[in-house]
Amino acid sequence: MLLSQRENSTETIRSLTEDAPEGATRVTAAVGELRAAGYVVCTKRQNESGHWATHVTVYDRPQSDRPETGAPRSGGRDVRSTGPNPEGKNRGEETPSTPVEEENQKDAQAAEGEGGDMDQAAEQDAAGAAVLARVGRVERRLRLGVAELLELAPLAAEWLARGATEADIREALTAGLPANVKRPAGVVRWRLEKKMPPLPAAPIPPLADCGQCRAPLPRGQVAGICSGCAGVAKAVRPMASSRPAPSEAMNLLAAIRERRATGAFAAGARSRFAGI
């Protein structure tokens, strides 16, 4: 819920927990745990008029280096002396690594590569959870708990990966809702799955140009010259005509006139060729 807040928002613990089932006391304790773990960093800053304000920054990864506060310092900069550099035979030289250390370094590098993919997936899920949280603030009938947000975040992330916008997701989830929603998580899951947009179509590659006349080549031919430059005439198939041959048309008209003259048409029947 904290990560879903907009930049420079003026929310407080009381405003964030107005409708939360956990209550302000438990949320305050949870925020304290996040601060201790490095996910929430609070800094106090003083403006030009002398007023102090607490700024809260929320991170998706724990921060080891905490930002300094804006409080004025008296005196010079604190410097901690660590003593002179140690003397020794390895001074200025790198200690050679053992085969076990080299293997550990390789494993660490491989883990970092896998961690990059996991971080990207986590960022996508976080974006999906943030969208669902904002939808819940707009439509209170679809407010979800933290566990439900984490469970449904991959579905919303898939919508975003397929080119949908936050407005598309909000419209799909809120359009035509019943007056009483007993299971918001079930409604959100059903709509996200059933209304999932199709995968974007693969782009059609452009046609290649003839090497001589620069005319477009047939699709599938990526290089070379066209049939005209190669001296190969295209076979033109005659178009089939649905009109009867002149002799057949004359015979048909003669038969119709003969039947009209002899009264072969049924009584009361009217020919479509009355004007002939």
Side-chain angles (χ1 to χ4, degrees), residues 91-145:
R91 181 181 179 183
E93 299 178 359
E94 294 183 359
T95 305
S97 59
T98 63
V100 176
E101 293 177 348
E102 293 179 355
E103 189 67 23
N104 292 338
Q105 291 177 359
K106 293 180 181 179
D107 294 341
Q109 293 176 357
E112 288 179 359
E114 295 177 358
D117 297 337
M118 295 178 62
D119 291 343
Q120 184 178 4
E123 290 177 359
Q124 295 174 352
D125 291 348
V131 171
L132 295 180
R134 286 192 287 268
V135 170
R137 287 200 296 270
V138 174
E139 177 53 71
R140 294 183 176 272
R141 289 173 292 180
L142 296 181
R143 298 197 70 171
L144 304 174

Side-chain angles (χ1 to χ4, degrees), residues 11 35 41-46 51-57:
E11 298 289 344
R35 290 183 60 183
V41 178
C42 298
T43 57
K44 292 184 177 180
R45 299 176 185 176
Q46 188 177 21
H51 296 284
W52 288 88
T54 302
H55 294 259
V56 180
T57 307

Side-chain angles (χ1 to χ4, degrees), residues 16-36:
L16 290 174
T17 57
E18 287 180 352
D19 300 322
E22 291 82 5
T25 303
R26 296 182 63 185
V27 172
T28 303
V31 173
E33 295 179 4
L34 292 175
R35 290 183 60 183

